[in-house]
Amino acid sequence: FFLVSGVFQALFAPAMMKWPSRWTALVGIVGNLGIIGMYVMSRTYGIPMGPHIGVVEKATAIDLGCTAGEIVLVGILLGMVGTTSRRVVINLLLLVGVALWVLRLTNNPLV
């Protein structure tokens, strides 16, 4: 996953410079949120796939700094998508967050 995400980020930077559009920013938001989600999952519940499935990774200062950078990048990209799209994306993020909290508080085995 992290190899694919590294390739995604290496290709996203030049794509954003060549095609600085709302759609490119939305692709960046989705990709970076996926990276953030996988980081959180691997540090709280364990790695979901591969030979070390279920092993919880330690969170280090470098990891947290990189994740903070991802969050800042998502914020910057949200500023590029326009008012209507930004509202839709933020509302979707809010709904996903509330759904995850509800699943977690009901002791659902999915979360």
Side-chain angles (χ1 to χ4, degrees):
F1 174 82
F2 287 109
L3 176 64
V4 171
S5 66
V7 171
F8 163 76
Q9 288 180 329
L11 296 175
F12 175 70
M16 197 65 197
M17 291 176 67
K18 185 166 176 78
W19 303 292
S21 69
R22 178 175 69 121
W23 292 106
T24 311
L26 286 172
V27 168
I29 290 169
V30 170
N32 285 296
L33 287 175
I35 294 168
I36 293 167
M38 183 61 78
Y39 172 80
V40 170
M41 179 177 249
S42 68
R43 296 325 189 255
T44 55
Y45 297 106
I47 300 170
M49 62 190 128
H52 300 290
I53 191 166
V55 175
V56 177
E57 297 279 327
K58 289 184 179 181
T60 64
I62 294 173
D63 298 342
L64 293 171
C66 290
T67 304
E70 297 283 341
I71 293 169
V72 169
L73 179 58
V74 168
I76 292 169
L77 292 173
L78 276 172
M80 298 176 67
V81 296
T83 305
T84 305
S85 296
R86 180 175 36 246
R87 188 176 303 125
V88 170
V89 171
I90 290 174
N91 287 335
L92 286 174
L93 289 173
L94 177 66
L95 286 175
V96 169
V98 168
L100 288 173
W101 274 105
V102 167
L103 288 172
R104 181 66 180 142
L105 293 174
T106 59
N107 293 323
N108 192 314
L110 295 175
V111 180

